[in-house]
Amino acid sequence: MSGDLNIIDEAYDYTTDQQEALGPTLLAVPNPQFVYTSSPPLSADTGEILYGLRERAEQMLKTGVDEALGYRDWGLVGDLDNLGVIDVDDHRLWAAANPALCNGRLTIGKIAKLKKMLRSARGFARECLGLWPVRQKS
């Protein structure tokens, strides 16, 4: 079984074991692609694949080398462990982290409703502002 295009949605829950099981399916494909889409990891001790991709992207910014990686992150600068310095009610921050506001696919009203539904500032900041927990390395 081979996959030319493998899309991993909600990659915050994708594990190293799953990656290692799918990885060999790329060997027989001339130009395979993996696409990962996700919110940031749920906690500091999960999301090892996402943290690894983010680290590769940060390294690529420093060195300019990693022709196999295309990485996009619309999350705000900061992290979930220092949420007190971010105004999660600031609509300008909502717009900065949600490019779909610019084309009308998303509205401030929809984000406000989701904020009420999510209830916690941490959950809202992760889901709507793209803030990550600080990674715990073992």
Side-chain angles (χ1 to χ4, degrees), residues 39-40 76 80 83 86-91 93-95 97-98 107-131:
S39 302
L76 300 179
L80 290 175
L83 201 50
I86 296 169
D87 181 2
V88 297
D89 294 314
D90 185 340
H91 292 186
L93 296 180
W94 296 9
N98 292 279
T107 66
I108 291 292
K110 286 181 179 180
I111 294 174
K113 284 181 184 178
L114 182 61
K115 186 174 185 295
K116 286 180 184 176
M117 186 186 90
L118 294 178
R119 299 177 54 116
S120 78
R122 186 175 175 89
F124 177 76
R126 190 178 68 77
E127 287 297 330
C128 291
L129 302 179
L131 292 171

Side-chain angles (χ1 to χ4, degrees), residues 7-88:
I7 300 173
I8 309 300
D9 191 20
E10 302 298 0
Y12 68 82
D13 202 29
Y14 187 60
T15 67
T16 299
D17 288 341
Q18 292 165 330
Q19 179 84 349
E20 289 178 356
L22 279 178
T25 68
L26 306 177
L27 293 174
V29 179
N31 190 24
Q33 285 185 304
F34 259 81
V35 176
Y36 304 88
T37 63
S38 190
S39 302
L42 295 175
S43 63
D45 59 347
T46 64
E48 64 253 28
I49 298 297
L50 276 185
Y51 278 114
L53 289 168
R54 188 181 194 197
E55 288 169 2
R56 272 181 65 190
E58 289 169 353
Q59 187 63 29
M60 183 176 59
L61 286 174
K62 291 177 188 173
T63 64
V65 179
D66 194 337
E67 59 279 343
L69 179 66
Y71 183 87
R72 303 294 180 270
D73 184 344
W74 287 271
L76 300 179
V77 173
D79 59 72
L80 290 175
D81 297 344
N82 295 292
L83 201 50
V85 300
I86 296 169
D87 181 2
V88 297

